Amino acid sequence: MKKYNLLILAAMLLTGAGCKDYLEEDTTGLLYGENVLSTQDGLESALTGAYKGLGSQWSYGFIHPGAQAAMLGGDDVTTHPASNKADWREFDQFNPSTTNQRSNAVYTGCYKAIQGANNVINNWEKTVGTKATIDIIVGEAHFIRAFSYYWLVRFYGNIPLITAGEYSDDLLTVGKSTPQQVYDLIIADLKIAETNLPDTKRDPGRANKGAAKAFLADVYLTMAGWPLKQTDKYDLAAAKAKEVIDNRALYGFELLPTFAAVFENDPASAGTREAVFQISGFAAGSGTANATYGNTTMPGEEGGWDDMFAELNFFRDFPAGPRKDATFRTEFGLGATKIPWQSSLTKHPYYQKWYIKGNIVTSSISLPSVMMRYAHVLTVYAEAKARGTGGPDKAAYDALNQVRLRALPAGTKPLAVGSLNAVQFADAVVQERAWEFACERTRWFDLVRLEKVEEANAKKSPDDLQPIKPITKANYLLPLPYTDTSINPNLN
């Protein structure tokens, strides 16, 4: 079957996949036409294919560490200065290539998810079945498309905006859309998702009404910053985040009592109530195990791959307390003998967050990739309220204090309402988010929207990787993959 996303075949050829692999490609979710999607089961199958685009171990999506690698330009994560980490170093040194497999895996996965979602969105009106269920399927499809385009527009800026699920020759010459055009679609999709989705998730790996509202709040917050700088969106972000906060029990969200509980990382668990949206991984399924945990964030002394670990100044500035203890691994060794991080081969602390319960050394595990936590919603409200009309209110202080007090030693006093002006409060929220979501695919996007990439990198330790040239706004975005630009000159 022909598919518009020709980069999938090209990417497999570039990475050494043989003809057998291509001929046996899983086409779940890529089917279209009234014969397939006229039934509710067929529509559900297309939706399953859309979800699958978000996660295929080592191939595309978010259940491998590619997304983390593509955000090493922040100040929380770095990689090995040598070894086989060339793809990783390109991001940390602000020199990513068009053939970089890490960012290209996210690009491919998002467009696969978009195609599956488009099949549902473009054909559901011909589907026979239970209206309430069909509405939910359509809502999830709009959420997946919005989620995918949100990642793409933040990474790449001007991108192809595809709403077709069927192949046509026109798609080989499609041009790039502006960020505004992409965000217009994202907002429209999330509003449909917000209307159609139920309060309760159908299962832990699906979106619900609360997830749609939470991402809509985050999208508004991002639009208020670089490159659009639509500051009127701060009030919209605050209002939408407050809807989630006020209805958290209805949507099944909560801030867990301890930070350590968030990252217990028990393969027997399907996830926690702090997860607003997650992409589930299953070790028993073909290509569905999660490789973000274990080997990739463990040091060589423990059988790990040394892919990513903490930047030195970020670790040193991190406030002491139970959150720091649960965030970092500072002694290494799986047996009784331990060495401090200062004596390790890389001489860096590692991220305890991504260790598997029991310190299992593997990269194939049944754990989810949590793409947004409820704690993030609290910080979105707090920051957006501070930057919007009226400045931070008591609810904003309450939201920030919930995150802070869980993180810091017992007896820490909450920030008193009115103790900071609006700018100071907003800055405090952004810094709190940096610590709360260290190595969770968040810090880079904050630095970009606030135009602080240069400032953050200027504060790097000399013992961390450095940019190889002066950073400009052009470095805020990644180059489109060669697999697409080589086929379509309109994407250059």
Side-chain angles (χ1 to χ4, degrees):
M1 186 188 78
K2 288 184 178 180
K3 301 179 290 294
Y4 71 76
N5 202 1
L6 297 180
L7 64 87
I8 296 171
L9 171 58
M12 285 190 287
L13 294 174
L14 288 171
T15 54
C19 293
K20 183 175 183 292
D21 294 323
Y22 174 63
L23 292 173
E24 295 180 359
E25 181 190 1
D26 183 354
T27 57
T28 303
L30 302 182
L31 304 176
Y32 57 83
E34 47 188 68
N35 289 337
V36 175
L37 297 175
S38 60
T39 69
Q40 187 173 305
D41 286 345
L43 199 69
E44 190 79 78
S45 178
L47 178 66
T48 299
Y51 273 109
K52 188 169 183 179
L54 300 180
S56 178
Q57 188 183 33
W58 302 124
S59 298
Y60 46 80
F62 299 92
I63 59 172
H64 59 83
Q68 272 97 340
M71 288 183 281
L72 261 65
D75 58 358
D76 56 338
V77 189
T78 189
T79 190
H80 202 292
S83 186
N84 61 344
K85 306 297 183 283
D87 270 6
W88 293 76
R89 288 192 295 274
E90 285 185 0
F91 299 107
D92 211 3
Q93 296 178 315
F94 289 85
N95 191 38
S97 66
T98 60
T99 56
N100 190 291
Q101 296 179 24
R102 304 294 172 174
S103 57
N104 290 3
V106 175
Y107 184 92
T108 300
C110 285
Y111 274 112
K112 285 180 72 73
I114 287 165
Q115 185 175 7
N118 285 343
N119 286 333
V120 173
I121 292 167
N122 295 342
N123 291 281
W124 70 269
E125 291 180 312
K126 297 174 283 189
T127 302
V128 177
T130 304
K131 181 181 183 303
T133 303
I134 292 173
D135 285 348
I136 293 171
I137 294 171
V138 173
E140 290 185 32
H142 279 283
F143 177 88
I144 291 170
R145 187 168 73 176
F147 173 89
S148 300
Y149 272 125
Y150 188 38
W151 271 86
L152 290 169
V153 73
R154 288 182 297 169
F155 263 164
Y156 298 97
N158 298 309
I159 56 173
L161 188 62
I162 308 296
T163 57
E166 301 182 15
Y167 172 83
S168 72
D169 289 341
D170 291 341
L171 292 168
L172 293 176
T173 56
V174 65
K176 292 186 285 189
S177 295
T178 65
Q180 182 64 62
Q181 292 170 319
V182 179
Y183 276 111
D184 286 345
L185 180 66
I186 291 170
I187 291 173
D189 276 348
L190 288 175
K191 286 182 175 179
I192 294 172
E194 182 182 23
T195 299
N196 281 34
L197 291 176
D199 295 331
T200 303
K201 300 173 185 177
R202 290 202 284 169
D203 63 50
R206 295 182 185 270
N208 67 346
K209 189 181 298 290
K213 290 177 181 289
F215 272 89
L216 189 52
D218 199 56
V219 167
Y220 285 141
L221 184 71
T222 299
M223 294 178 73
W226 188 91
L228 298 181
K229 299 186 179 182
Q230 296 173 356
T231 55
D232 61 302
K233 297 295 192 296
Y234 283 126
D235 286 345
L236 296 177
K240 194 57 62 176
K242 192 65 163 54
E243 290 179 29
V244 179
I245 294 168
D246 290 345
N247 295 281
R248 60 191 178 279
L250 179 66
Y251 301 140
F253 304 151
E254 69 173 331
L255 194 71
L256 296 187
T258 67
F259 189 83
V262 179
F263 293 97
E264 184 182 23
N265 298 343
D266 184 353
S269 172
T272 76
R273 285 172 60 89
E274 190 154 326
V276 170
F277 178 62
Q278 68 181 41
I279 299 168
S280 298
F282 304 99
S286 175
T288 59
N290 197 331
T292 307
Y293 299 83
N295 293 101
T296 192
T297 51
M298 298 175 76
E301 287 89 346
E302 295 183 341
W305 299 339
D306 297 307
D307 285 339
M308 56 182 176
F309 37 84
E311 292 210 1
L312 293 173
N313 286 344
F314 184 85
F315 168 75
R316 288 167 178 155
D317 293 342
F318 202 106
R323 180 174 59 191
K324 186 169 188 176
D325 296 339
T327 296
F328 298 106
R329 182 88 158 198
T330 57
E331 290 186 329
F332 308 135
L334 295 175
T337 302
K338 307 287 185 182
I339 62 170
W341 65 266
Q342 296 92 334
S343 301
S344 68
L345 293 174
T346 63
K347 295 180 171 53
H348 281 71
Y350 282 64
Y351 276 101
Q352 174 71 25
K353 285 182 172 184
W354 302 112
Y355 273 70
I356 302 161
K357 185 177 182 179
N359 298 333
I360 300 170
V361 184
T362 183
S363 63
S364 296
I365 199 70
S366 295
L367 281 168
S369 283
V370 177
M371 307 306 292
M372 183 184 288
R373 295 198 274 118
Y374 177 65
H376 186 85
V377 181
L378 291 170
T379 63
V380 168
Y381 174 75
E383 183 191 350
K385 191 70 181 73
R387 299 190 193 277
T389 303
D393 57 2
K394 182 180 182 300
Y397 274 87
D398 288 345
L400 178 57
N401 279 325
Q402 287 182 60
V403 177
R404 287 183 72 253
L405 296 180
R406 183 179 71 170
L408 300 176
T412 300
K413 294 182 179 180
L415 289 173
V417 176
S419 58
L420 301 173
N421 64 37
V423 173
Q424 291 170 333
F425 184 88
D427 289 345
V429 176
V430 173
Q431 184 59 71
E432 195 66 42
R433 190 186 292 119
W435 293 324
E436 176 73 17
F437 304 105
C439 199
E440 290 185 57
R441 315 177 183 95
T442 299
R443 178 62 170 166
W444 167 250
F445 291 135
D446 279 351
L447 294 175
V448 168
R449 69 180 174 84
L450 296 171
E451 301 178 84
K452 292 187 175 183
V453 175
E454 299 90 332
E455 175 186 329
N457 277 270
K459 297 177 181 178
K460 281 176 175 278
S461 165
D463 294 322
D464 283 329
L465 288 170
Q466 305 293 318
I468 62 174
K469 56 188 176 182
I471 300 171
T472 68
K473 290 296 186 295
N475 300 122
Y476 283 19
L477 300 172
L478 300 175
L480 290 177
Y482 177 77
T483 49
D484 268 21
T485 59
S486 63
I487 295 172
N488 181 358
N490 291 332
L491 298 182
N492 288 305

